[in-house]
């Protein structure tokens, strides 16, 4: 691996260099898109001048690593010995974050397509709530967004779906943040079509096999089933989970939160079929947030992303940020402004 010590100004990189971004100065001056402050793998400082002429499409992020090859080297300025001077031939590959913290933005019951509050009849803005929560997740450098169901309401039109594509999926794609969801008990055809179109690297319908967020966390989901009739024999959880932490997402009435009833889902029954250990369980469907501890497993209703609880004492227009550090999960509330 080359370091700053192997570079001389006026020549190109002899081999690719791996650098980490320590600071970004956008709009750095004429013909420059940005000036990026870096350290090499030995901790030596250097800069990269992101010239407009080099047509670099990288969205530089602090604490992220990049592998740079075929790049010019010149004498540095402002206290830096060396500047990297990319051209159109330069190749830059993002290597991801060096931040050991995993963050999941959890949002649910967005009911895009609703326009009025189901009890008071007041105007509501589910699209604004959803896109604001997503913006928050992007700003907090979330590793993934998890949606606990009811993305779209029956009344969602193709205009609503387009809005979600533009203000949710496009910015997430730009930020390289995947969106994992389960289906709820509400949907619309234009919404379903959008989800189908976007399904791939960016958008995933979670199932009991789960999706790896990174080496720390795996997220499992079970789509909504009417009256709590989960197809118990089809819960194909993996036999072995390599990630140390497992998060389960549901869209049901949960016995551990709502008490026993004919339509409730008993987590015990799910847990019995899972060989591992859930570390956090989150459910959509109930539009007020609430939380309990089931043994040592936190279980919560996330509450709706926009005001739509019909209860007298509503607890809605919320999203959550799950932060994973040192193999434990902290859940912080985000009141959507
Ligand atoms: Mn709902």
């Amino acid at each position: 691996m080359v370091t700053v010590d192997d570079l001389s100004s006026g020549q190109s990189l002899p081999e690719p260099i791996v650098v980490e971004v320590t600071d970004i100065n956008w709009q750095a001056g004429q013909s420059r898109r940005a000036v990026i402050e870096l350290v090499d793998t030995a901790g030596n400082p250097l800069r990269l001048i992101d010239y407009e002429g080099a047509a670099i499409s990288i969205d530089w992020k602090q604490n992220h690593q990049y592998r740079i090859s075929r790049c010019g080297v010149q004498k540095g300025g402002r206290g830096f010995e060396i500047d990297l001077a990319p051209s159109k031939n330069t190749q830059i590959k993002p290597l991801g974050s060096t931040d050991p913290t995993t963050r999941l933005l959890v949002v649910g019951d967005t009911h895009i397509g609703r326009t009025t509050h189901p009890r008071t009849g007041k105007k509501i803005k589910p699209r604004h709530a959803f896109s604001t929560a997503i913006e928050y997740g992007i700003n907090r450098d979330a590793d993934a967004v998890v949606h606990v169901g009811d993305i779209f309401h029956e009344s969602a039109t193709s205009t609503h779906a387009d809005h979600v594509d533009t203000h949710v999926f496009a910015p997430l794609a730009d930020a390289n943040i995947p969106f994992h969801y389960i289906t709820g008990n509400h949907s619309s055809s234009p919404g379903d079509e959008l989800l189908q179109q976007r399904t791939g690297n960016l958008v995933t319908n979670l199932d009991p096999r789960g999706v790896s967020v990174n080496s720390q966390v795996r997220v499992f989901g079970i789509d909504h089933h009417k009256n709590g009739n989960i197809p118990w024999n089809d819960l194909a959880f993996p036999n072995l989970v390599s990630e140390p932490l497992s998060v389960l997402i549901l869209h049901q009435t949960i016995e551990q939160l709502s008490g026993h009833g004919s339509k409730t889902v008993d987590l015990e029954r799910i847990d019995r079929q899972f060989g591992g250990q859930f570390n956090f369980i989150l459910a959509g469907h109930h539009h007020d947030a609430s939380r309990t501890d089931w043994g040592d497993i936190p279980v919560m209703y996330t509450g709706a992303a926009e005001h739509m609880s019909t209860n007298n004492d509503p607890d809605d227009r919320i999203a959550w940020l799950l932060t994973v550090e040192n193999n434990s999960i902290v859940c912080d509330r985000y009141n959507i402004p």
Side-chain angles (χ1 to χ4, degrees):
M1 191 72 66
V2 296
T3 66
V4 164
D5 297 335
D6 307 310
L7 309 183
S8 25
S9 62
Q11 297 184 3
S12 341
L13 285 177
E15 275 178 61
I17 187 167
V18 171
V19 291
E20 180 178 338
V21 173
T22 55
D23 201 12
I24 305 158
N25 176 15
W26 292 103
Q27 295 153 351
Q30 232 177 5
S31 78
R32 296 171 169 203
R33 193 172 71 121
V35 173
I36 317 298
E37 293 186 13
L38 309 162
V39 288
D40 67 13
T41 48
N44 301 309
L46 70 161
R47 300 190 310 180
L48 180 142
I49 313 299
D50 186 337
Y51 293 110
E52 269 159 20
I56 294 166
S57 58
I58 293 283
D59 180 23
W60 298 105
K61 286 184 187 165
Q62 210 165 336
N63 302 117
H64 279 236
Q65 281 188 317
Y66 300 84
R67 181 189 290 113
I68 301 172
S69 52
R70 303 169 71 175
C71 185
V73 176
Q74 64 190 26
K75 195 173 173 331
R78 296 189 181 226
F80 287 82
E81 254 176 71
I82 287 290
D83 281 350
L84 296 178
S87 68
K88 278 191 171 148
N89 293 324
T90 301
Q91 292 178 348
I92 304 174
K93 185 173 184 261
L95 301 177
S97 176
T98 57
D99 180 356
T101 307
T102 306
R103 294 179 194 87
L104 299 179
L105 178 81
V106 179
V107 61
D109 289 282
T110 41
H111 286 266
I112 300 303
R114 261 199 186 282
T115 53
T116 55
H117 191 284
R119 185 166 59 91
T120 64
K122 273 190 188 163
K123 280 249 173 297
I124 56 170
K125 295 178 173 172
R127 286 182 288 178
H128 174 263
F130 195 8
S131 57
T132 304
I134 292 300
E135 202 184 314
Y136 174 73
I138 292 170
N139 290 338
R140 297 303 305 269
D141 205 10
D143 294 275
V145 173
V146 175
H147 194 295
V148 299
D150 286 354
I151 300 174
F152 291 99
H153 199 67
E154 278 67 15
S155 49
T157 62
S158 55
T159 307
H160 291 110
D162 287 349
H163 190 278
V164 168
D165 200 32
T166 309
H167 296 278
V168 174
F169 293 150
L172 288 176
D174 280 348
N176 216 2
I177 301 174
F179 180 92
H180 307 304
Y181 74 98
I182 52 172
T183 59
N185 53 317
H186 293 274
S187 62
S188 84
S189 302
D192 288 345
E193 277 161 30
L194 172 65
L195 291 168
Q196 285 267 290
Q197 271 169 33
R198 278 290 197 171
T199 293
N201 287 338
L202 180 72
V203 175
T204 316
N205 186 185
L206 290 168
D207 64 23
R209 290 172 299 170
V211 165
S212 179
V213 173
N214 55 25
S215 62
Q216 291 299 301
V217 188
R218 192 171 189 89
V219 185
F220 302 85
I222 302 173
D223 285 339
H224 175 79
H225 290 275
K226 217 178 162 189
N227 300 330
N229 290 322
I230 286 178
W232 297 106
N233 298 326
D234 302 336
L235 294 185
F237 290 111
N239 292 326
L240 260 181
V241 177
S242 58
E243 299 81 2
L245 294 168
S246 296
V247 175
L248 175 66
I249 308 298
L250 299 149
H251 190 92
Q252 303 286 164
T253 299
I254 305 292
E255 187 161 321
Q256 280 73 9
L257 284 162
S258 297
H260 182 71
S262 58
K263 295 169 182 177
T264 58
V265 167
D266 182 2
L267 296 176
E268 182 73 51
R269 212 168 158 188
I270 297 174
D271 196 54
R272 232 180 286 148
Q273 286 180 249
F274 180 52
Q277 146 100 71
F278 292 117
N279 302 93
F280 219 104
I281 300 176
L282 302 126
H285 199 37
H286 286 254
H287 293 172
D288 293 285
S290 65
R291 177 174 167 158
T292 188
D293 287 313
W294 176 46
D296 52 9
I297 307 169
V299 180
M300 60 186 280
Y301 289 135
T302 58
E306 170 57 307
H307 295 303
M308 59 183 76
S309 161
T310 50
N311 291 327
N312 288 325
D313 190 15
D315 195 9
D316 50 11
R317 205 167 160 101
I318 316 171
W320 302 88
L321 194 71
L322 294 194
T323 305
V324 180
E325 235 167 352
N326 306 320
N327 279 356
S328 74
I329 303 180
V330 176
C331 183
D332 291 305
R333 180 185 176 112
Y334 171 58
N335 291 311
I336 301 173

